[in-house]
């Protein structure tokens, strides 16, 4: 029996003894396994880990250093004047421009505030009391002007028979429009009778009879004290400028040589994709209008100096992300500003009016926006953007006048002088005060280039009130062309991670689209109530209003899902969105799979096919309801703080009329409703611009919303995620 052997001997005899020199098999560092039960990370959890925040912190530090050096310099200068030698180290000769740079940061004349609209552009320095206002239009050389295009089809469009306009003006705009116009007239008469307002019999017949027989008078040009100075063109067409902007563009004669065509870069609050064939040309015209406005209205003719200026740009509450990123590129690259920031319209309006909480109703030229602002933030679910405004009132007013045999039957809103005349007639004669609805005799002067002035007299009855009432019955407006060209040049924005549309949405806007598509929002929520406000309150405050009226446009809505992220199906199963064949017999239920990204894209495409329109009073209550989210205190606060702004609201008695309609719709809260005008007798059209200028002056260079050139060069449009004070 062999004796016991040691482990070392066994290892030597069996060939198991270690013969290496304890060197590692690789020189790569070996990372030990982390403890899965207790570990954490600080990645992107501190502000200093974001480059944009680090730049802001460095700017604040440099500003504090400059201020300290300026104080030392001032102290040293005062000591020298008093005969006392300055202490060493108080004066820094290396920082000669520190005082100048600090002065520029506090100089509000170095801040340019821009508020573009569909019809007008308002621009000025933050130190100005009021902005400069110019039409947001550019005229470029073309073969024919806008009134000659399409065979000279006028606006508003008349119905033709055998290529001839019908002789009866009552048939010019179709039977449907005539019936709706008559129904509005009957409803107005009934309302006036209820208010015990005396009505004259045969008022309509008196107006039609007078307008049919009235003939204009001709006034020679030298006898017209208010003649218009038209834009002069050089005798040689080859030397004519390539473009005109603003008022000069609107004053170009229709028969000019060469011809000029008007282009409006913004229409209905969107980029005008209908009238442009190229995306680059659209953005170029937008940039040219801003550039020429800065040179002509602000006197900054040297572009190399613009790098010393900052810009505050006003955007809509419900904005398109592609629009904001395109504007950012124009401001930083094409115009060369040193820094810029963006501000929403409703929030800027509260800054201009000095309100902390309010419901802002902005009736613009071609869009109406409604948003509730609370403590310096826009309530996301309350944002509404309606595609009608003062221009629709103007066109409807002209259609009603033509329907009642307006003496100037050739009125064409595509002609520049007719468009300006129509705006003038609306501003002078339109009202919503029932006491003014009587047979009135008015006059106007028609001035066209190369023609003698013509003086017309005409009578009106209820047209002056029915046209503004279209804001509360938007089906009377011509909405046929407002969605034309939508998404033709600029597609919707998509999330870079999952590919879903990420343009901002709101529950109130979804309710508007439901109403426009013919579905009552209260029915879609499964609630019924006699009070309109109560019918719009959601049962679950934490969730948005479901967009149920478009459910038939998506596939397979019968299977609910609990999460946004889709799970891949097993092999040999149908593709997402398609029903699988029956398994084991025809009676087995079908299985369907859903791709949430595809559903979001289909829903966004369906939303783009619906024009967002809703009666103004209903839209205001919808916005307030979504902002209050069932809180009675907030509801009363917003109802008592409604502020109406915008040029479309400058109609005689508009605020009182809107207040009465809101009280009739909510009798339980009628005492709480109050509609105020902008304070300090400020023009409602410039409240937003004024608020943006106040915002630009807040905190000086320490405002966190400023986007510097270095950040933009490094990040591009991604910097908006850190710089915007609203949800981007």
């Amino acid at each position: 029996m062999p004796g016991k052997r040691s482990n070392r001997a066994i290892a030597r005899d069996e060939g198991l003894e270690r013969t290496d020199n304890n060197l590692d098999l690789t020189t790569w560092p070996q990372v030990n396994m982390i403890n899965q039960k207790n570990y954490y990370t600080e990645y992107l959890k501190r502000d200093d880990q974001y480059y944009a925040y680090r730049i802001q912190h460095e700017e604040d530090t440099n500003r504090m250093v400059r201020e300290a050096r300026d104080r030392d310099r001032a102290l040293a200068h005062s000591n020298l004047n008093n005969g006392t030698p300055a202490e060493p180290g108080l004066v820094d000769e290396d920082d000669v421009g520190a005082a100048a740079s600090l002065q520029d940061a506090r100089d509000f004349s170095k801040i340019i505030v821009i508020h573009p609209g569909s019809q007008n552009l308002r621009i000025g320095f933050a130190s100005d009391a009021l902005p400069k206002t110019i039409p947001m239009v550019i005229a470029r050389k073309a073969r024919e002007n806008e009134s000659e295009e399409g065979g000279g089809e006028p606006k508003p469009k008349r119905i033709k028979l055998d290529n001839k306009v019908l002789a009866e003006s009552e048939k010019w705009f179709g039977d449907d429009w005539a019936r709706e116009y008559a129904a509005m007239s009957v409803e107005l008469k009934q309302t006036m009778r209820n208010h015990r307002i005396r009505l004259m019999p045969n008022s309509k017949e008196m107006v039609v009879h007078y307008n049919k027989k009235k003939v204009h008078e001709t006034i020679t040009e030298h006898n017209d004290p208010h003649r218009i100075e038209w834009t002069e063109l050089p005798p040689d067409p080859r030397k004519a400028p390539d473009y005109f902007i603003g008022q000069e563009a609107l004053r170009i004669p229709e028969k000019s040589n060469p011809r000029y065509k008007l282009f409006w870069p913004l229409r209905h609050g969107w980029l005008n994709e209908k009238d442009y064939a190229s995306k680059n040309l659209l953005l170029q015209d937008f940039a040219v209008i801003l550039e020429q406005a800065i040179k002509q209205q602000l006197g900054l003719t040297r572009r190399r100096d613009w790098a010393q200026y900052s810009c505050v740009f006003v955007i809509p509450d419900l904005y398109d992300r592609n629009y904001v990123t395109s504007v950012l590129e124009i401001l930083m690259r094409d115009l060369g500003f040193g820094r810029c920031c963006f501000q929403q319209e409703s929030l800027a309006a509260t800054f201009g009016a000095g309100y902390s909480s309010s419901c802002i109703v902005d009736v613009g030229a071609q869009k109406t926006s409604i948003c509730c602002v609370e403590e310096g933030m826009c309530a996301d679910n309350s944002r509404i953007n309606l595609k009608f405004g003062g221009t629709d009132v103007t066109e409807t007013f002209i259609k009603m006048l033509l329907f009642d045999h307006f003496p100037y039957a050739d009125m064409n809103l595509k002609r520049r002088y007719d468009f300006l005349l129509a705006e003038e007639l609306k501003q002078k004669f339109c009202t919503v005060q029932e006491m003014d609805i009587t047979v009135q005799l008015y006059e106007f002067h028609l001035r066209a280039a190369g023609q003698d002035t013509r003086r017309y007299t005409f009578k009106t009855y209820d047209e002056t009130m029915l046209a503004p009432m279209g804001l509360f019955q938007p089906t009377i407006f011509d909405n046929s062309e407002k969605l034309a060209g939508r998404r033709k040049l600029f597609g919707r924005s998509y999330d870079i991670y999952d590919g879903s549309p990420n343009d901002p949405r709101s529950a109130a806007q979804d309710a508007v689209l439901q109403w426009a598509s013919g579905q009552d929002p209260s029915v879609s929520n499964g609630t019924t109530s006699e009070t309109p406000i109560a019918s719009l309150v959601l049962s679950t405050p934490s969730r948005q209003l479901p967009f149920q009226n478009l459910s038939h446009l998506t596939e397979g809505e019968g299977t609910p899902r609990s999460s946004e992220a889709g799970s891949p199906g097993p092999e040999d199963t149908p593709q997402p969105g398609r029903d699988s064949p029956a398994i084991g017999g025809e009676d087995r239920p079908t299985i369907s799979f859903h791709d949430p990204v595809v559903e979001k894209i289909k829903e966004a495409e369906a939303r783009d096919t619906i024009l967002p329109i809703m009666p103004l009073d209903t839209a205001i209550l919808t916005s307030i309801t979504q902002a209050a989210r069932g809180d009675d205190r907030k509801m009363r606060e917003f109802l008592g703080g409604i502020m109406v702004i915008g040029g479309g609201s400058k109609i005689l008695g508009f605020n009182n009329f809107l207040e009465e309609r809101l009280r009739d719709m909510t009798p339980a809260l009628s005492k709480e409703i109050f509609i105020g005008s902008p304070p300090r007798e400020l023009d409602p059209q410039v409240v937003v611009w004024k608020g943006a200028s106040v915002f630009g002056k807040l905190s000086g260079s320490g405002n966190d919303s400023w986007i510097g050139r270095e950040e933009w060069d490094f990040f591009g449009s991604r910097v908006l995620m850190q710089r915007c004070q609203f949800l981007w």
Side-chain angles (χ1 to χ4, degrees):
M1 181 177 181
K4 185 177 180 181
R5 303 175 60 189
S6 64
N7 293 336
R8 185 174 183 181
I10 295 174
R12 183 181 65 252
D13 296 341
E14 299 294 336
L16 301 178
E17 184 178 5
R18 183 171 182 176
T19 59
D20 59 3
N21 52 3
N22 291 330
L23 294 178
D24 294 333
L25 298 178
T26 177
T27 58
W28 287 91
Q30 298 182 7
V31 180
N32 297 326
M33 296 291 293
I34 64 174
N35 185 0
Q36 297 289 338
K37 296 182 178 180
N38 184 17
Y39 73 95
Y40 69 98
T41 179
E42 294 184 353
Y43 179 65
L44 296 183
K45 289 186 177 180
R46 299 194 307 269
D47 290 346
D48 57 1
Q49 294 174 340
Y50 289 91
Y51 183 69
Y53 287 110
R54 289 203 303 270
I55 292 179
Q56 183 67 39
H57 180 69
E58 292 174 0
E59 291 180 356
D60 296 341
T61 303
N62 294 336
R63 186 179 69 255
M64 295 174 60
V65 172
R66 288 196 301 267
E67 292 177 353
R69 288 176 176 175
D70 289 340
R71 287 194 298 268
D72 293 345
R73 185 179 294 105
L75 180 60
H77 185 68
S78 62
N79 291 336
L80 291 175
N81 292 338
N82 295 333
T84 305
E87 299 180 6
L90 290 180
V91 181
D92 189 359
E93 299 295 340
D94 295 335
D95 194 10
V96 179
S101 61
L102 180 61
Q103 183 178 2
D104 292 342
R106 295 178 177 177
D107 189 2
F108 300 143
S109 62
K110 294 288 186 179
I111 301 176
I112 298 176
V113 182
I114 301 176
H115 179 207
S118 299
Q119 185 165 327
N120 291 316
L121 168 68
R122 292 176 177 84
I123 187 172
F125 296 111
S127 57
D128 295 340
L130 295 174
K132 306 292 191 304
T133 302
I134 63 172
M136 188 71 182
V137 63
I138 183 172
R140 288 191 176 273
K141 290 182 180 179
R143 292 184 178 180
E144 52 187 7
N145 57 39
E146 60 277 2
S147 63
E148 297 172 343
E149 285 186 333
E153 185 71 36
K155 182 181 180 182
K157 183 178 180 181
R158 282 79 156 172
I159 295 178
K160 294 182 179 180
L161 183 62
D162 297 332
N163 294 328
K164 293 183 179 179
V165 179
L166 299 176
E168 301 85 357
S169 61
E170 295 86 354
K171 300 181 180 179
W172 280 359
F173 311 113
D175 296 337
D176 294 339
W177 190 89
R179 283 193 294 268
E180 190 168 4
Y181 177 32
M184 292 180 64
S185 181
V186 172
E187 183 181 357
L188 177 60
K189 289 181 180 179
Q190 184 63 36
T191 303
M192 295 174 66
R193 289 193 183 99
N194 295 337
H195 293 172
R196 297 184 179 181
I197 298 177
R198 182 180 178 182
L199 300 177
M200 294 181 59
N202 302 327
S203 299
K204 208 70 167 179
E205 290 76 5
M206 294 172 55
V207 171
V208 173
H209 181 73
Y210 181 87
N211 292 340
K212 279 184 177 180
K213 295 185 176 181
K214 199 60 181 176
V215 182
H216 68 271
E217 301 177 6
T218 303
I219 302 175
T220 57
E221 184 178 0
H222 64 275
N223 289 330
D224 185 7
H226 302 288
R227 57 181 177 270
I228 297 175
E229 297 296 334
W230 302 95
T231 302
E232 296 184 1
L233 300 177
D236 188 359
R238 294 173 297 181
K239 297 182 180 179
D242 293 334
Y243 58 83
F244 291 92
I245 70 163
Q247 197 67 27
E248 292 182 349
L250 295 178
R251 293 304 184 187
I252 298 177
E254 295 287 333
K255 304 298 182 181
S256 62
N257 186 20
R259 290 286 197 273
Y260 283 86
K261 180 183 177 181
L262 298 182
F263 290 93
W264 304 81
L266 294 179
R267 296 275 85 179
H268 309 293
W270 290 324
L271 289 171
N272 185 9
E273 302 173 84
K274 173 188 174 183
D275 298 334
Y276 284 88
S278 171
K279 174 181 177 180
N280 294 334
L281 183 58
L282 172 56
L283 296 179
Q284 180 183 355
D285 283 356
F286 191 90
V288 167
I289 294 176
L290 296 181
E291 178 183 354
Q292 295 300 319
I294 293 173
K295 290 181 178 179
Q296 298 175 8
Q297 303 297 326
L298 304 184
L300 303 178
T301 57
R302 297 189 304 178
R303 291 196 55 174
R304 61 177 178 269
D305 297 337
W306 294 1
Q308 305 175 9
Y309 288 80
S310 306
C311 176
V312 179
F313 195 92
V314 181
I315 61 175
D317 302 322
L318 274 176
Y319 52 85
D320 284 345
R321 291 169 66 102
N322 286 335
Y323 167 69
V324 179
T325 55
S326 300
V327 169
L328 175 62
E329 186 174 359
I330 290 174
L331 297 177
M332 303 301 292
R333 186 190 65 183
D334 297 341
L335 302 182
F337 287 119
R339 57 179 185 165
C340 66
C341 68
F342 293 96
Q343 182 62 283
Q344 292 175 295
E345 287 179 339
S346 296
L347 183 57
T350 57
F351 276 97
Y355 294 168
S356 60
S357 299
S358 177
C359 177
I360 304 298
V361 182
D362 187 355
V363 185
Q366 295 186 356
K367 75 173 180 64
T368 298
S369 62
I370 307 171
C371 181
C372 294
V373 181
E374 183 179 13
E375 301 299 336
M377 291 294 293
C378 292
D380 293 339
N381 284 333
S382 69
R383 294 175 294 179
I384 289 179
N385 195 316
L386 306 175
K387 298 307 177 184
F388 58 76
T391 303
D392 297 280
V393 175
T394 302
E395 182 179 352
T396 305
F397 181 51
I398 297 302
K399 291 175 70 173
M400 292 179 177
L401 292 178
L402 293 174
F403 187 88
D404 295 335
H405 297 271
F406 190 54
Y408 180 36
D410 295 332
M411 172 76 76
N412 183 7
L413 296 182
K414 290 185 178 180
R415 287 197 292 255
R416 298 152 198 169
Y417 58 86
D418 281 351
F419 170 75
L420 297 176
L421 174 62
E423 289 288 335
E424 181 182 354
L425 294 179
K426 180 195 70 173
Q427 295 174 6
K428 285 185 177 180
F429 306 138
C430 281
T431 179
V432 288
Q433 292 183 351
E434 297 175 353
M435 299 301 298
D436 297 335
I437 306 305
T438 58
V439 178
Q440 300 282 351
L441 178 63
Y442 297 117
E443 67 174 19
F444 67 92
H445 294 78
L446 176 63
R447 299 177 177 89
Q451 303 177 19
D452 291 334
T453 302
R454 286 174 283 176
R455 178 179 174 271
Y456 289 87
T457 58
F458 66 102
K459 285 186 177 181
T460 63
Y461 178 52
D462 57 358
E463 304 92 336
T464 55
M465 183 169 181
L466 292 180
M469 284 183 62
L471 297 173
F472 306 94
Q473 189 172 342
T475 54
I476 195 67
F477 295 150
D478 184 10
N479 302 315
S480 59
E481 299 292 330
K482 294 182 179 180
L483 286 178
R486 179 66 172 157
R487 304 296 185 188
K488 183 179 71 173
L489 302 178
F490 292 84
R492 65 182 60 85
S493 177
Y494 294 95
D495 189 86
I496 61 176
Y497 296 105
D498 60 4
S500 60
N502 60 356
D503 281 329
R505 291 181 55 180
S506 72
Q509 186 73 1
D510 289 346
V512 171
L513 295 178
Q514 288 182 0
W515 188 94
S517 63
Q519 181 177 355
D520 188 3
S522 61
V523 176
S524 66
N525 290 325
T527 59
T528 56
S529 175
E530 297 180 357
T531 305
I533 285 185
S535 64
L536 295 175
V537 177
L538 301 181
S539 58
T540 307
S542 61
R543 298 186 62 186
Q544 289 190 354
L545 184 68
F547 198 64
Q548 297 183 5
N549 68 306
L550 300 179
S551 59
H552 63 282
L553 298 178
T554 57
E555 299 178 2
E557 288 293 327
T559 304
R561 65 179 188 272
S562 59
S563 64
E564 295 293 335
S567 300
E571 296 182 359
D572 300 332
T573 57
Q575 296 296 327
R578 300 179 181 177
D579 293 336
S580 63
I583 302 176
E586 297 181 356
D587 296 336
R588 295 291 183 91
T590 59
I591 302 175
S592 60
F593 298 95
H594 300 273
D595 188 347
V597 176
V598 174
E599 292 181 1
K600 290 181 180 179
I601 293 176
K602 290 182 178 180
E603 185 177 349
E605 292 175 352
R607 288 165 55 88
D608 288 342
T609 61
I610 302 176
L611 181 68
I613 58 173
M614 176 185 272
L616 183 60
D617 46 3
T618 306
I620 293 175
L621 295 180
T622 302
S623 175
I624 293 177
T625 302
Q626 296 296 340
R629 309 296 288 179
D631 190 342
D632 184 69
R633 182 188 62 82
K634 288 185 178 180
M635 175 77 69
R636 298 176 184 274
E637 182 179 352
F638 287 132
L639 287 174
I642 301 175
M643 183 174 65
V644 180
I645 60 175
S649 65
K650 297 180 65 175
I651 300 174
L652 187 61
F654 183 80
N655 288 3
N656 295 332
F657 181 78
L658 177 59
E659 187 174 317
E660 291 179 2
R661 289 186 65 95
L662 293 177
R663 289 177 176 174
D664 292 340
M665 295 182 66
T666 56
L669 300 174
S670 59
K671 296 182 180 180
E672 306 292 337
I673 298 176
F674 177 76
I675 298 179
S677 58
R680 299 182 296 275
E681 298 182 357
L682 195 61
D683 189 350
Q685 299 180 91
V686 302
V687 173
V688 174
W689 182 93
K690 191 66 177 179
S693 66
V694 173
F695 174 79
K697 291 183 285 188
L698 291 177
S699 303
S701 60
N703 196 328
D704 294 340
S705 60
W706 289 112
I707 301 174
R709 176 164 294 277
E710 182 180 356
E711 303 168 70
W712 182 77
D713 291 338
F714 194 86
F715 290 106
S717 60
R718 291 179 298 169
V719 74
L720 293 169
M721 179 66 70
Q722 284 79 32
R723 288 305 186 203
C724 290
Q725 294 189 348
F726 47 88
L727 182 61
W728 175 255

